Amino acid sequence: MEEYGVIIIGAGPAGLSAAAKLAERKINALVLDRKQEIGCPKRCAEGLGLGWFRRLGLKPSKEWAVMPIYGAALYSPLGKSVVLKAKKVAGYVLERKMFEKALAIDAVKKGAKIRLKSNVKSARRENGNVVIDVNELGEIKQYSAPLIIACDGIDSRIARMLGLDTTNKLPDVDSGFQYELTGIDGYDEKLLHLYFGNEISPRGYCWIFPKRRGTANVGIGIAGYAEKTAKYYLDKFIASHPNLSKGSIIEVNSGGIPVGGFLEKMHSDNLLIAGDAAHQVDPIHGGGIGISMEAGALAAEVASEAVAKNDFSEKFLGKYTQKWYALRGNQLKKRLKGRHLLEKLSDADFEYLADSITADDVLKIASGDLDKKAKFILFAKKLVKRPGLVKIMMKYL
Ligand SMILES: Cc1cc2nc3c(=O)[nH]c(=O)nc-3n(C[C@H](O)[C@H](O)[C@H](O)COP(=O)(O)OP(=O)(O)OC[C@H]3O[C@@H](n4cnc5c(N)ncnc54)[C@H](O)[C@@H]3O)c2cc1C
């Protein structure tokens, strides 16, 4: 049996970020992933805002930050748009396979070890350690460590193996489906394009995330309980846009997105959970790359304190859950209310909003500079013919 200081299960953004931080602190860290290639297949539209580059200390590299983005265009069900465009780059669309490989190379350079085709089949506590059974390239191996960081994504089973139920409830999961399309045009390649409406995309939105000239991730995220599949709605959307339907598919991606069932506890004895496995995703737009990397780094910080104190108890590791809510979770809980707001809007509401609210209004609201009274006045003026909408907006804000 091989023994490590910390074992991380899952080599996605959460796991690779945790591995790099542990290795920086000279902790003997091993990352196991069942995939045969890091970053592949991607389950992602690959958008990452500039704020995350700053927060995570990432420098955009031409190798993986492939398309600079200057803002977003939001479309109502009938196609009216509100365009938010900045003069400076606001984020990038990534080539995630290259991005994750760059994260992996960085972690290994710092001293972490990674093993692929390593599917963790079971985990149990034994004499203060966790012992895991792994199917590694067809061979059964055992590893042990006093601490496991479960970064095993939306299908997470590791926490459950160690007695913590992290099952997602159906209303808190979106279903994502996407084609990488090439040979398409007719949209501004400097913007992300988001299409709203209950007919188009129940509870969610369709997107075009430009990736290269004439190539984009065209996808959809919808409520997991929607009547039809995400593929059905996406195909319908593409069929109604001749500039997209003439394209060819070069990749198909699908996956679930945990959008709001935040966990009260993301730790137990010998265990921390980070990333999608801990439901750490923005409940409004479903973005989780930055949030999972931040959480992976935080888990590594608490893990290294646990190693220094040789304390892997639930009590000590509870610091992680506490710190995550203070750093990000409480803010995301507020944003969950935004998702609930979107769920209440009818297609007629979306049209009315598109007619009345300007890009300037959206920026003013998003800036956080308006107090509650100023927001009420803005909405009351703009939405005078729909007092019901003012009520919904104010409840959220
Ligand atoms: C369609 C779609 C579009 C999205 N678009 C965006 C976007 O544009 N921007 C954004 O920020 N986020 C987006 N997301 C969300 C983002 O992809 C996730 O939040 C992010 O990947 C979470 O990272 P993670 O490391 O927690 O999990 P993952 O990236 O899912 O990594 C988990 C890893 O664990 C491994 N694993 C699981 N079980 C085991 C096991 N038993 N043994 C060994 N290994 C195991 C898996 O193979 C996997 O590599 C999107 C998601 C979807 C589905």
Side-chain angles (χ1 to χ4, degrees), residues 124-152:
R124 63 195 171 278
R125 294 183 182 87
E126 258 181 42
N127 306 321
N129 278 352
V130 175
V131 175
I132 56 175
D133 297 307
V134 182
N135 183 338
E136 198 168 302
L137 288 154
E139 221 182 290
I140 300 298
K141 288 201 175 173
Q142 282 194 334
Y143 294 95
S144 116
L147 182 62
I148 298 290
I149 308 184
C151 301
D152 51 333

Side-chain angles (χ1 to χ4, degrees), residues 125 149-170 172-173 257-268 271-280 320-321 325:
R125 294 183 182 87
I149 308 184
C151 301
D152 51 333
I154 176 107
D155 330 307
S156 173
R157 287 183 308 125
I158 304 302
R160 249 172 294 156
M161 288 174 192
L162 292 169
L164 195 62
D165 187 7
T166 56
T167 316
N168 275 293
K169 294 194 181 68
L170 192 58
D172 295 320
V173 183
I257 312 165
V259 283
F262 297 115
L263 299 172
E264 262 174 49
K265 255 177 72 183
M266 294 172 288
H267 66 278
S268 74
L271 174 72
L272 295 173
I273 319 170
D276 276 16
H279 313 179
Q280 292 163 328
Y320 164 68
T321 299
Y325 272 103

Side-chain angles (χ1 to χ4, degrees), residues 8-17 32-49 52 92-94 96 100 115-122 134 150-158 161 174-178 192 205 207 209 217 219-221 253-258 274-282 285-293:
I8 297 155
I9 301 168
L16 293 169
S17 151
L32 298 169
D33 201 296
R34 62 185 177 193
K35 284 180 177 171
Q36 65 182 30
E37 185 177 352
I38 291 214
C40 220
K42 72 169 194 242
R43 289 203 256 182
C44 193
E46 306 177 284
L48 189 62
W52 283 111
Y92 289 87
V93 174
L94 312 180
R96 208 171 135 169
E100 286 189 30
R115 305 236 166 113
L116 294 188
K117 280 290 231 183
S118 295
N119 191 355
V120 178
K121 300 302 247 182
S122 66
V134 182
C151 301
D152 51 333
I154 176 107
D155 330 307
S156 173
R157 287 183 308 125
I158 304 302
M161 288 174 192
D174 273 4
S175 173
F177 194 80
Q178 176 179 270
L192 302 182
Y205 56 94
W207 63 76
F209 281 20
N217 288 324
I220 189 169
N253 314 115
S254 64
I257 312 165
D276 276 16
H279 313 179
Q280 292 163 328
V281 170
D282 186 301
H285 55 62
I289 301 173
I291 294 172
S292 61
M293 287 183 69

Side-chain angles (χ1 to χ4, degrees), residues 382-394:
K382 295 280 173 170
L383 309 177
V384 69
K385 286 191 194 141
R386 267 182 130 83
L389 255 183
V390 180
K391 248 194 209 164
I392 295 176
M393 293 296 206
M394 286 313 290

